[in-house]
Amino acid sequence: MDELLRAGRAAAELAAGHLAGGRERAVWQPVPEQDRDWLTGQQLPATGRPLDELVDDVRTRVLPYPMGNGHPRFFGWVNSPPSPAGVLVAPLAAAMNPSCAGGEHAGVLLEHAVVRWLAELTGFPHGPGAGLLTSGASMATVISLAAARQHAGRRDGWDVREDGLSGRPPMVMYVSEEGHSCLRKAAELLGLGARRLRTVPVDGRFRMDVGALRAMLARDVEAGLRPFCVAASAGTVSTGAVDPLDEIADVAAEHGLWFHVDGAYGALGILADGAATAYSGMSRADSLALDPHKWLGVPVDCGCVLLRDPATARDAFSLVPAYLRDDSAAGFGWFSEYGPEQTRPFRALRVWATMSHLGRDGIAGLVDHTVRLARTLAEMVEAADDFELLAPVTTSIVAFRCRTGGGESRLDELNRAIPAAVQHRGRAFVTGTRLAGMEVLRACLLNPATTAEDLSVLLDEIRVVAAEMVR
Ligand SMILES: Cc1ncc(COP(=O)(O)O)c(C=O)c1O
């Protein structure tokens, strides 16, 4: 144990130094050949090595090559810096190392509390057991759609788990053009078939067009298909748009559809000053996926699914082999009855520590700060002749493009190439996507340490690489 204590102290210092030294180092840097070879090509040692040597290896070979998402000028994808409180307790959860499948222990009990906290924060109705932590929103989506599929079958008098999908009217699901790819992945995995996934067009603000949804539904009913689910977004990944959730909830209610909301990135946006109206209707969902490992900063991995009626997920997943029987598990039962994972990690400790450390006001402050920064960036983009804002800012994502040099035909090529060039310079990190047929840049603001000055650096870095490319 002395060895663990000594090495543990060194590791704690390393972690604290890593978190504190963010601004000075490169946001991201390519891994030099020799370290790449070490990382990918090393052999398993024949005999074990002492713990302090392992800490040294992490210091010299691992920590210098982060993804970049701890840095205040990282604006890529949807990856936040880790909360210090989450980092603090991660080794303690590992030291306890329970499986949170079920049983009577702290990991399981704390999970009930933090799931309730997440429901309370997002204004989602919460009954006991109505949700669970997952690896991420992708798994939360699989659970939601499996519950929706089983529920639809039950309503039609059959059991999808027993009978499968064949010989029944094809189940159809509706997702907007801007819906996340995890929705299609889940539909494919559940045997629903990507062809039965209807892509609903978006309006000028990149929100689901509810008129088009209604028209598609009418056509599918007419054709004898079985519409069963509509999946809306509370914060799309390209522009951060929040779909008209109340109107979509009305359509779902009229047609008896399961109403799923993908709030993986954006559900917490409801806490930003003045944002609540845009989220009206989110609390009417049958299932809500959200990711504590995104805006909240819980160290990866941690997703969550909240369920209006937990019995639906249990009906889709519960399978208790004799060796897992637990005569004391009355009522809610085990978490492993609500999803595909059997052994489940102690994620709740990281969520509990992160949320307790920030408190409700701190969480709302973090969301509000980053939404304000996104608006500032949008204003800077609009004020500049060489940039163009491509979508309104409703959460903390800004979609824009650089218009330096060349005509319209060259802009796609230019904006496609900008992210990698900016990343390689190491002063800022931005990624791109396609929006309305165009190559665009998108900046996602999630870091409480980011300042308006950092936004100027981002735009200047884009200008520098664009000028070089045009030359
Ligand atoms: C809007 C949205 N939905 C779903 C996901 C998938 O979440 P995860 O990566 O946690 O599975 C993401 C990931 O970025 C996302 O932004």
Side-chain angles (χ1 to χ4, degrees), residues 250-324:
D250 287 344
V251 176
E254 280 166 38
H255 289 264
L257 306 181
W258 182 279
F259 178 34
H260 174 71
V261 174
D262 176 6
Y265 148 65
L268 286 189
I270 195 172
L271 299 172
D273 215 16
T277 341
Y279 284 80
S280 170
M282 187 163 81
S283 60
R284 294 171 66 191
D286 293 294
S287 51
L288 170 63
L290 67 131
D291 264 344
H293 68 204
K294 290 193 163 71
W295 224 334
L296 197 52
V298 171
V300 171
D301 66 1
C302 191
C304 177
V305 55
L306 299 174
L307 298 152
R308 173 167 300 278
D309 177 3
T312 51
R314 196 176 193 178
D315 190 27
F317 287 103
S318 180
L319 195 63
V320 184
Y323 87 100
L324 287 172

Side-chain angles (χ1 to χ4, degrees), residues 33-359:
E33 201 67 26
Q34 77 187 56
D35 285 334
R36 178 187 296 273
D37 288 348
W38 185 87
L39 286 164
T40 60
Q42 60 190 289
Q43 302 296 324
L44 173 66
T47 55
R49 298 173 57 203
L51 293 178
D52 53 1
E53 267 188 30
L54 307 185
V55 176
D56 270 346
D57 278 355
V58 173
R59 183 199 320 275
T60 54
R61 309 275 204 167
V62 178
L63 282 175
Y65 308 114
M67 178 182 172
N69 51 320
H71 198 287
R73 286 194 298 278
F74 181 91
F75 305 106
W77 305 296
V78 192
N79 297 97
S80 50
S83 72
V87 173
L88 174 75
V89 300
L92 302 175
M96 290 179 76
N97 199 32
S99 165
C100 294
E104 165 94 7
H105 57 90
V108 164
L109 299 174
L110 202 56
E111 185 160 339
H112 285 292
V114 299
V115 168
R116 174 170 50 79
W117 285 3
L118 289 165
E120 286 165 0
L121 264 190
T122 50
F124 196 78
H126 185 73
L132 62 159
L133 301 179
T134 61
S135 56
S138 300
M139 185 51 77
T141 305
V142 168
I143 293 172
S144 302
L145 299 191
R149 185 185 64 166
Q150 182 70 5
H151 181 68
R154 290 269 186 230
R155 286 179 58 153
D156 295 348
W158 56 291
D159 180 347
V160 177
R161 290 180 69 179
E162 289 295 330
D163 304 324
L165 292 166
S166 69
R168 305 284 169 175
M171 289 194 183
V172 182
M173 171 174 152
Y174 303 83
V175 178
S176 101
E177 253 175 75
E178 292 296 319
H180 193 268
S181 49
C182 74
L183 291 159
R184 175 174 166 154
K185 268 197 193 175
E188 290 175 3
L189 191 66
L190 292 166
L192 297 165
R195 272 188 226 292
R196 306 281 178 229
L197 196 68
R198 299 285 182 258
T199 306
V200 184
V202 290
D203 63 18
R205 293 160 66 195
F206 301 100
R207 308 178 326 149
M208 186 184 283
D209 178 340
V210 181
L213 169 67
R214 284 186 182 281
M216 285 172 146
L217 259 165
R219 274 201 300 276
D220 286 335
V221 172
E222 176 86 16
L225 307 179
R226 169 67 165 99
F228 85 107
C229 175
V230 57
S233 302
T236 60
V237 72
S238 289
T239 72
V242 178
D243 285 335
L245 303 174
D246 241 337
E247 286 177 60
I248 298 170
D250 287 344
V251 176
E254 280 166 38
H255 289 264
L257 306 181
W258 182 279
F259 178 34
H260 174 71
V261 174
D262 176 6
Y265 148 65
L268 286 189
I270 195 172
L271 299 172
D273 215 16
T277 341
Y279 284 80
S280 170
M282 187 163 81
S283 60
R284 294 171 66 191
D286 293 294
S287 51
L288 170 63
L290 67 131
D291 264 344
H293 68 204
K294 290 193 163 71
W295 224 334
L296 197 52
V298 171
V300 171
D301 66 1
C302 191
C304 177
V305 55
L306 299 174
L307 298 152
R308 173 167 300 278
D309 177 3
T312 51
R314 196 176 193 178
D315 190 27
F317 287 103
S318 180
L319 195 63
V320 184
Y323 87 100
L324 287 172
R325 267 185 323 232
D326 177 0
D327 296 333
S328 66
F332 171 75
W334 282 32
F335 279 119
S336 53
E337 291 180 62
Y338 294 78
E341 284 180 297
Q342 184 57 47
T343 300
R344 303 173 69 252
F346 189 1
R347 299 182 177 110
L349 197 63
R350 285 176 276 126
V351 183
W352 168 82
T354 302
M355 295 180 80
S356 305
H357 186 55
L358 287 168

